[in-house]
RNA sequence: GCGCCUGUGGAGGAGUCCGGUCGUCCUCAUCGCCCUGUCAAGGCGAAGAUCGCGGGAUCGAAGCCCGUCAGGCGCGCCA
């Protein structure tokens, strides 16, 4: 039907006779000569209709409207001198049309199909098939394709087998809320959609499959965010006879390659590494953005018995005084903005925030300056390294709350002070996170990663035990994480003990896995990497929606297909399901 | 579950604090006419809206109050 693609034509094609198919992106009618920008997936090329040379085609060209689908035949020629369009990949040439055929007409689209037009998010989702025609969105789809292709090219020679795991699986009590699928064959019972193929990939290791990977859809029925949806895709990996270094040595070159191929940037390997504790100490976060500095300092000892009562009390009660220094912050931020920082810190749960503007001659300007001794003033300057023009922000609170507040502050200030470079790709691993977390809700210890995560040492004291787990962070986003798994039944038993699980619970929740492990489980470990987020970062976007073909709205609704929707009563009958409250009235969407 | 922001011709925005002169304006799209080298073409003209929805106070509401729906961002939740 066609000989070439619109977007592929170059100077080398000059003189060629071509037939193209595509959508009318723009029509420029000069009364005589008429130009049309013809678009397909590969790009846009200018086609020219001359009234004298091809009167019939030119007449048809007058009728053409935006998004009509046409097929044209003509010859490629170099554009006349001075007429080239350097902004267009095909801009050196144009196609002189001899005949044109309208394959389909189109209604006027609800928004212009152009990158620079920012239509309403909802409208874009409703008409996703039009939104995806925009070159920017086409690029996003291609980016995902390239990432997937790169993964397969990387994993195959390393001996990884791509194995599919079921979509209909079993509800797990741990972790996120499951999406449930009612069973017709077993009325009253439900399948669950996978939150991840965690247990299945471990079973594949027991099955002797050695190295497994899968690009797999996972689903979690939790409130979506800009960087996390109800369904998402992960690169799931599991390796037998593997330790941390084996996992890292598979993932690092892959991610370096993705950055090289999609950004044209060489990132250095090995990636930076930090212990979880060090990361929290230095950045107040388990996913710090290392494209800029502003590391946190701890000043607790400086305020023991201080004249500044608020900090003295925090220090006495076992809290911490931590802070960061915003370069040029005092020079740039207004008083109003400084007050906003305090409000934001409170909004993040901290008791408050103290800002200290450093002025010339080591003088300080701060609401609390009058409470500080000279020793404290000098201590602050020395410990933080602040120089005139800088802004020092201090938070005194329980260590977790201080970290949360300062992490948020650090991110906000970096953006406000323009410290973030779009061209830097700062990977960092953390290792040795806590094995357990205390759950206030359940009033017991729970697994930080999951119950099969191997402890770092014999220490299983929940307050201090560390895990053989790891996370990879890029530019302040968590890309993924995993762990070395327990293969020793006795250690597994002790972990279950800490988690307060009875033998009955263990049997009902994890019986199949435990049983499998009795038949010769190899030492193994793995990792799961979020691909939506990776694509989002590589595309320079703020939301994973922008790198998904058909995303849902934040409510979980699907504006394109109209789901979720009520179903026919007969369908419910068959499943043995009665709806208690009608989900939502008609037209409520 | 909670907090914040948004909703105005087909699209994006201004107008909303401080009610009357506002269904007023800008950019794009649409329709018509003109134009033989533009490329976000240009010129002239036209059409297009119960200001998300419901209620309330007011002589009077796009604007104020209450409720509600939808979208976005965040907290809780979730790796």
């Amino acid at each position: 039907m066609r000989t070439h693609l619109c977007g592929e034509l170059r100077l080398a094609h000059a003189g060629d006779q071509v037939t193209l198919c595509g959508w009318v992106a723009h029509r420029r009618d000069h009364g005589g000569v008429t130009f049309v920008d013809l678009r397909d997936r590969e790009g846009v090329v200018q086609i020219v209709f001359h009234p004298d040379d091809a009167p019939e085609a030119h007449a048809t060209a007058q009728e053409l409207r935006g998004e009509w689908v046409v097929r044209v035949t003509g010859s490629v020629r170099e554009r006349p001198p001075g007429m080239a369009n350097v902004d267009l990949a095909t801009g050196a040439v144009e196609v002189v049309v001899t005949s044109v055929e309208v394959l389909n007409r189109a209604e006027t689209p609800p928004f212009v199909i152009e990158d620079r037009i920012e239509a309403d998010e909802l409208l874009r989702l409703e008409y996703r098939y039009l939104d995806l025609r925009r070159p920017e969105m086409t690029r996003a789809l291609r980016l995902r394709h390239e990432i997937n292709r790169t993964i397969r090219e990387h994993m195959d020679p390393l001996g990884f087998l791509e194995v599919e795991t079921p979509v209909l699986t079993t509800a797990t009590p741990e972790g996120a809320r499951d999406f449930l699928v009612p069973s017709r064959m077993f009325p009253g019972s439900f399948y669950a959609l996978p939150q991840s193929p965690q247990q299945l990939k471990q079973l594949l290791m027991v099955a002797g499959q050695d190295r497994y990977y899968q690009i797999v859809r996972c689903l979690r029925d939790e409130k979506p965010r800009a960087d996390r949806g109800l369904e998402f895709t992960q690169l799931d990996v599991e390796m037998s006879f593997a330790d941390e270094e084996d996992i890292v040595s598979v993932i690092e070159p892959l991610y370096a390659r993705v950055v090289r191929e999609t950004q044209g940037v060489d990132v250095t390997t090995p990636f930076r590494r930090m212990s979880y504790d060090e990361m929290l100490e230095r950045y107040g976060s388990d996913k710090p953005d290392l494209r800029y500095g502003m590391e946190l300092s701890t000043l607790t000892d400086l305020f023991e018995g201080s004249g500044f009562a608020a900090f003295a009390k925090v220090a006495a009660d076992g809290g911490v005084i931590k802070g960061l220094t915003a370069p040029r912050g005092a020079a740039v931020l207004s008083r109003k903005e400084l007050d906003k920082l305090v409000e934001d810190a409170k909004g993040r749960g901290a008791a408050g925030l103290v800002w200290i503007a450093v002025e010339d001659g080591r003088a300080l300007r701060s609401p609390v300056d009058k409470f500080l001794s000279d020793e404290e003033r000098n201590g602050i300057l020395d410990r933080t390294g602040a120089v005139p023009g800088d802004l020092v922000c201090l938070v005194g609170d329980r260590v977790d709350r201080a970290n949360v507040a300062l992490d948020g502050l650090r991110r906000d200030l970096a953006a406000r002070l323009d410290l973030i470079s779009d061209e830097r790709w700062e990977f960092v691993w953390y290792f040795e996170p806590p094995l357990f977390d205390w759950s206030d809700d359940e009033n017991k210890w729970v697994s930080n990663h999951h119950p099969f995560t191997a402890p770092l040492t014999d220490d299983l004291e929940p307050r201090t035990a560390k895990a053989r787990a790891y996370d990879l962070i890029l530019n302040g986003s968590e890309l993924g994480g995993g762990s070395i798994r327990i293969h020793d039944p006795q250690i597994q038993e002790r972990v279950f003990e800490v988690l307060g699980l009875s033998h009955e619970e263990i049997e009902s929740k994890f019986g199949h896995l435990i049983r499998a492990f009795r038949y010769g489980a190899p030492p193994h470990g793995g990792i799961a990497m979020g691909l939506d987020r990776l694509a989002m970062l590589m595309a320079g976007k703020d939301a994973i929606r922008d790198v998904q073909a058909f995303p849902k709205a934040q409510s979980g609704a699907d504006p394109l297909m109209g789901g979720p929707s009520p179903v026919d009563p007969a369908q419910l009958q068959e499943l043995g399901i009665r709806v208690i409250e009608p989900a939502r009235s008609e037209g409520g969407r």
Side-chain angles (χ1 to χ4, degrees), chain A residues 93 153 387 460 467 556 562:
Chain A
V93 296
E153 285 178 7
V387 298
L460 287 187

Side-chain angles (χ1 to χ4, degrees), chain A residues 312-328:
Chain A
K313 183 165 191 317
V314 168
D317 292 350
V320 297
I321 319 297
K322 288 182 78 168
L324 59 76
T325 303
R328 306 297 304 149

